[in-house]
Amino acid sequence: MEETLNIAIPVFRMTTENYENALRGLGAAPKIITKDCDPSGFDGLLIPGGDDVNPERFGQENCGSEGIDDLLDAMQFAVLDRFVKAGKPVFGICRGHQLINIYFGGDLIQDLGVKNACHRREKGSTEDRIHLVHASQGTFLERLYGSDFVTNSSHHQGVGRLGTGLTAAAVSEDGVKEALFHETFPIWSVQFHPERMCFAHKRADAVDGSRVLDFFLEKCVEMRAVS
């Protein structure tokens, strides 16, 4: 790309090395932000993985959510709101995927349970789960990876009722919504972790995660050209 893309990553107290390395590997410049910010200084927003969003945000009592941080929730929702209203591209990963759904009025399944154990790491393991995903015809993931592909997974919650304007782009074999896109805004999200399937973390048993991250960056370039 001719000019470096500035990508905001809103986090508190968490390691973002994998996200940063993946974006740098694709020629972008990740910028960690810890408070609400002006989107005009950025080309896109990447909301990373992390612990669970407070279920009060989608009108439920806590029945399985873990590691809740209300300050992080407030900051990420505020930043997302600013980027959406500015029409800037947004990409969500894992928690970010779920947060986007909540922002648009959807809800979550707070614990997928043992029947969906393929989605969560085993206790004490550092290895992601690997499983098959089915992409819907004509969606961004189908264009990138085909109709069926293998990806990683490390989560215990899932998207439930879809938020307004969101469409599922892919589902796992057990019905978990693995990706979303918005029908109006330049917003995409995935439940899996592409930053842990590319460059130094590329693995032979799953697709190359850099392709979906590069798709997001290409959308940032397109939006920059028309802004």
Side-chain angles (χ1 to χ4, degrees):
M1 61 189 70
E2 294 182 3
E3 295 183 52
T4 301
L5 295 170
N6 292 314
I7 306 299
I9 305 178
V11 292
F12 291 152
R13 302 178 295 275
M14 68 167 279
T15 301
T16 57
E17 181 180 6
N18 289 341
Y19 300 98
E20 294 182 67
N21 286 343
L23 290 174
R24 290 193 186 103
L26 292 167
K31 308 288 185 183
I32 303 304
I33 57 173
T34 58
K35 60 183 179 180
D36 195 3
C37 68
D38 183 353
S40 66
F42 299 93
D43 298 290
L45 172 68
L46 188 151
I47 308 174
D51 288 328
D52 300 337
V53 176
N54 192 327
E56 290 179 358
R57 292 269 178 178
F58 48 95
Q60 294 182 13
E61 294 183 358
N62 191 333
C63 56
S65 296
E66 304 169 349
I68 292 169
D69 184 336
D70 289 322
L71 291 177
L72 177 62
D73 290 353
M75 187 269 285
Q76 289 187 335
F77 275 105
V79 171
L80 174 58
D81 185 61
R82 299 257 280 181
F83 274 76
V84 171
K85 289 175 178 175
K88 298 271 185 166
V90 176
F91 191 74
I93 294 174
C94 197
R95 169 190 163 94
H97 167 74
Q98 297 167 5
L99 189 142
I100 286 169
N101 190 55
I102 297 167
Y103 173 84
F104 285 102
D107 66 11
L108 302 183
I109 301 165
Q110 291 190 52
D111 199 315
L112 294 170
V114 294
K115 288 193 296 183
N116 304 82
C118 69
H119 296 281
R120 190 169 194 171
R121 283 181 182 176
E122 294 182 12
K123 282 192 174 181
S125 174
T126 59
E127 281 293 312
D128 293 335
R129 295 279 190 169
I130 296 296
H131 62 90
L132 187 67
V133 168
H134 306 287
S136 300
Q137 186 175 6
T139 60
F140 69 102
L141 285 181
E142 198 256 355
R143 292 192 295 271
L144 291 171
Y145 298 124
S147 58
D148 299 293
F149 60 95
V150 176
T151 187
N152 64 0
S153 188
S154 180
H155 63 103
H156 76 109
Q157 298 194 326
V159 166
R161 182 186 71 253
L162 286 175
T164 302
L166 293 171
T167 297
V171 295
S172 61
E173 289 186 293
D174 53 1
V176 173
K177 298 176 182 70
E178 291 284 340
L180 304 174
F181 65 93
H182 199 278
E183 296 165 5
T184 305
F185 298 107
I187 297 174
W188 304 267
S189 65
V190 294
Q191 182 62 73
F192 52 90
H193 283 269
E195 81 285 356
R196 297 207 294 257
M197 298 190 299
C198 61
F199 299 109
H201 298 285
K202 189 173 181 179
R203 49 192 304 162
D205 57 355
V207 294
D208 184 353
S210 70
R211 294 178 66 184
V212 70
L213 293 172
D214 194 45
F215 163 84
F216 166 59
L217 295 178
E218 288 175 359
K219 295 300 181 182
C220 292
V221 171
E222 291 175 12
M223 293 299 295
R224 175 193 272 183
V226 299
S227 62

